[in-house]
Amino acid sequence: MNKLIVLYCLFTNLFLSSCLQKDPVVTGQASRPDNWQTVLQEKLPLLGHRNWIVITDMAYPLQAKEGITTLYASEPYTEVLGTVKNMLDNSMHVYAHTYQDKELSFLEEDFCPGIAGLKAEMKQVLSSSEIINIEHDQLIARLDSISNLFEVVIIKTGLTKPYTSTFFELDCKYWDNSKQSILNGRIADAKQSK
């Protein structure tokens, strides 16, 4: 009888102590808004050709696909844009093809107040010559298909202006299409000479 009471007390004590503890699941850094830079800096060496980094406005949907990581940045949109661009510029292994929503070029102050100032701030971070404009739905479709095979990192900001997402498609910094063409030609020549 005493053993049964001791076991009962022990079980009850363990049960109650587990109920009083905080959630035992440790949340990752991605859930903390102040750590998005740390998370991206840690991920950047793992990212490469065909990976994407996207900076979005607040209404951008949280995508549930496994190949997509979403982070939240509390800093202003253009500050986040500049930080990501700086990280990519200083990367030794990747550079980015930069895309923006084509719809952004049609937004004007009369029906989207504040957009002119935002566009001016964005031009201080990205020159228009490095931006390729593509319709938003086409960019989303590309992300959807890419994320089946390659990781996409989305950094969501508190910006409340439509069609302001910037999409960075990563590419190899130390190997380009012209070098690949030369290599392909040498391989083709070697096959023909056999």
Side-chain angles (χ1 to χ4, degrees):
M1 176 81 172
N2 285 341
K3 286 184 180 181
L4 188 58
I5 293 173
V6 170
L7 284 174
Y8 177 76
C9 289
L10 183 61
F11 176 78
T12 304
N13 192 22
L14 286 171
F15 176 76
L16 289 175
S17 67
S18 69
C19 290
L20 296 175
Q21 289 179 356
K22 291 184 179 178
D23 184 11
V25 177
V26 177
T27 57
Q29 291 180 353
S31 66
R32 294 183 52 203
D34 58 330
N35 281 331
W36 73 268
Q37 291 181 48
T38 303
V39 173
L40 184 58
Q41 196 67 50
E42 289 172 355
K43 276 187 170 287
L44 194 55
L46 303 175
L47 300 176
H49 177 59
R50 297 186 180 142
N51 289 125
W52 288 60
I53 300 171
V54 184
I55 298 130
T56 72
D57 61 277
M58 193 65 178
Y60 193 89
L62 179 61
Q63 294 174 277
K65 245 183 169 174
E66 194 171 316
I68 297 176
T69 299
T70 300
L71 307 173
Y72 181 75
S74 58
E75 296 88 348
Y77 177 87
T78 51
E79 185 178 322
V80 174
L81 184 63
T83 299
V84 172
K85 184 174 184 332
N86 190 43
M87 284 183 185
L88 293 171
D89 288 347
N90 290 315
S91 167
M92 294 174 51
H93 69 296
V94 290
Y95 74 98
H97 303 282
T98 306
Y99 305 97
Q100 286 186 331
D101 297 326
K102 190 174 200 172
E103 293 88 343
L104 178 61
S105 61
F106 295 95
L107 294 179
E108 296 177 6
E109 282 293 314
D110 61 340
F111 67 103
C112 189
I115 198 68
L118 178 63
K119 286 180 182 182
E121 287 179 30
M122 291 169 79
K123 282 183 181 178
Q124 291 177 352
V125 178
L126 299 170
S127 71
S128 56
S129 64
E130 62 186 314
I131 298 170
I132 302 164
N133 295 301
I134 298 178
E135 289 179 12
H136 182 75
D137 287 343
Q138 291 177 4
L139 286 166
I140 298 302
R142 285 179 76 177
L143 282 186
D144 185 49
S145 66
I146 290 293
S147 64
N148 288 324
L149 297 173
F150 304 103
E151 179 148 359
V152 174
V153 177
I154 295 173
I155 304 167
K156 191 170 179 167
T157 70
L159 180 65
T160 55
K161 300 279 181 267
Y163 298 108
T164 51
S165 299
T166 300
F167 301 76
F168 293 110
E169 179 185 20
L170 304 186
D171 206 338
C172 183
K173 191 177 260 185
Y174 53 86
W175 194 256
D176 59 24
N177 287 338
S178 64
K179 291 178 183 175
Q180 186 63 42
S181 293
I182 293 168
L183 178 62
N184 291 344
R186 290 179 181 179
I187 292 169
D189 290 345
K191 284 180 183 177
Q192 288 178 354
S193 66
K194 284 187 176 182

